[in-house]
Amino acid sequence: MYKHFFKRLIDIVGALLGIVILLIPFLIIALLIFATDPGPVLFKQKRFGKNKKMFKILKFRTMKVDTPDLPTDKFEDAEKYVTRMGKILRKTSLDEMPQLFNILVGQMSFIGPRPALWNQEALIALRDKTGANSVRPGLSGWAQINGRDEISEKKKAEYDGEYVKRLSFLFDCKCFFGTFIKVFKSEGVRTDKR
């Protein structure tokens, strides 16, 4: 019952509340992004969602407008493209907050496997084996609080598969509150990644 009804209900109510509560901070962040590097405030990127359906994830833009349209791991020095404001947003994970809109429309959930990039074929294949592609991707998840950017794709897929098996209200709560601890400590975050 939780997986098929209450989880989505919590996502809708939580996303709506989050958008209303964070509206003023969103506007302030948007103004700071534009003031420090004029251009679009939001960054959109193709990601894989539930059942490998493609969607565009929303983030606050943290890289300069003239940044080449390449996956970050293809850059020689991605750090030089990150804006001053972008470094702060990435370190605090505030760049992820526009994903509340992705949650509201049903493309994402608060908790689930992080949506894979369009070019992460190996991760997608590994998630097929663990069943992790069968659920909505999340703003945060079990893999994020167990290493985030510091663990291999194989390990991420294992944690994502474990999440699917243990999916419940209490496990989602564990992931949700664990995320706040990780963000507060800035653990496992790489600022050179999109």
Side-chain angles (χ1 to χ4, degrees):
M1 186 73 148
Y2 171 72
K3 181 180 174 181
H4 299 289
F5 178 73
F6 286 110
K7 183 171 172 65
R8 181 70 191 125
L9 182 63
I10 290 167
D11 284 341
I12 293 168
V13 173
L16 276 172
L17 282 172
I19 290 165
V20 170
I21 291 166
L22 296 172
L23 188 59
I24 300 301
F26 276 9
L27 292 172
I28 293 168
I29 290 169
L31 287 170
L32 289 170
I33 290 168
F34 190 81
T36 55
D37 188 54
V41 170
L42 293 177
F43 170 72
K44 298 175 185 177
Q45 189 176 54
K46 289 190 291 183
R47 298 283 182 114
F48 282 101
K50 184 178 179 182
N51 299 321
K52 297 189 278 191
K53 184 179 178 183
M54 199 74 79
F55 73 99
K56 287 191 178 176
I57 198 169
L58 300 174
K59 292 185 175 194
F60 281 122
R61 182 173 58 85
T62 59
M63 299 186 99
K64 295 173 184 174
V65 173
D66 61 353
T67 302
D69 189 17
L70 294 169
T72 310
D73 60 352
K74 303 293 184 203
F75 290 112
E76 278 185 33
D77 181 16
E79 197 68 34
K80 75 176 183 180
Y81 292 104
V82 179
T83 63
R84 284 177 294 150
M85 187 66 194
K87 288 177 185 175
I88 296 165
L89 292 173
R90 287 171 177 225
K91 188 169 184 179
T92 58
S93 295
L94 289 172
D95 61 319
E96 309 283 355
M97 290 299 95
Q99 287 160 46
L100 288 171
F101 292 99
N102 292 116
I103 294 170
L104 186 62
V105 299
Q107 296 165 329
M108 291 178 63
S109 180
F110 276 101
I111 305 297
R114 277 299 290 165
L117 284 158
W118 57 270
N119 67 334
Q120 291 180 301
E121 295 94 355
L123 179 60
I124 294 294
L126 289 165
R127 283 180 170 175
D128 273 336
K129 292 176 184 174
T130 64
N133 290 323
S134 66
V135 297
R136 277 189 186 92
L139 184 60
S140 185
W142 189 229
Q144 278 57 53
I145 64 172
N146 282 289
R148 202 169 173 175
D149 296 332
E150 296 176 338
I151 57 176
S152 67
E153 289 188 341
K154 185 174 185 292
K155 199 67 185 165
K156 277 182 191 175
E158 286 172 12
Y159 280 125
D160 293 337
E162 185 181 346
Y163 170 77
V164 173
K165 287 177 188 164
R166 296 176 65 184
L167 202 162
S168 67
F169 176 70
L170 289 177
F171 195 57
D172 273 4
C173 287
K174 182 174 183 171
C175 293
F176 184 80
F177 292 109
T179 299
F180 282 101
I181 294 166
K182 289 288 181 181
V183 169
F184 182 73
K185 292 180 177 179
S186 292
E187 289 181 355
V189 181
R190 281 181 52 194
T191 58
D192 65 338
K193 290 190 79 175
R194 275 196 169 179

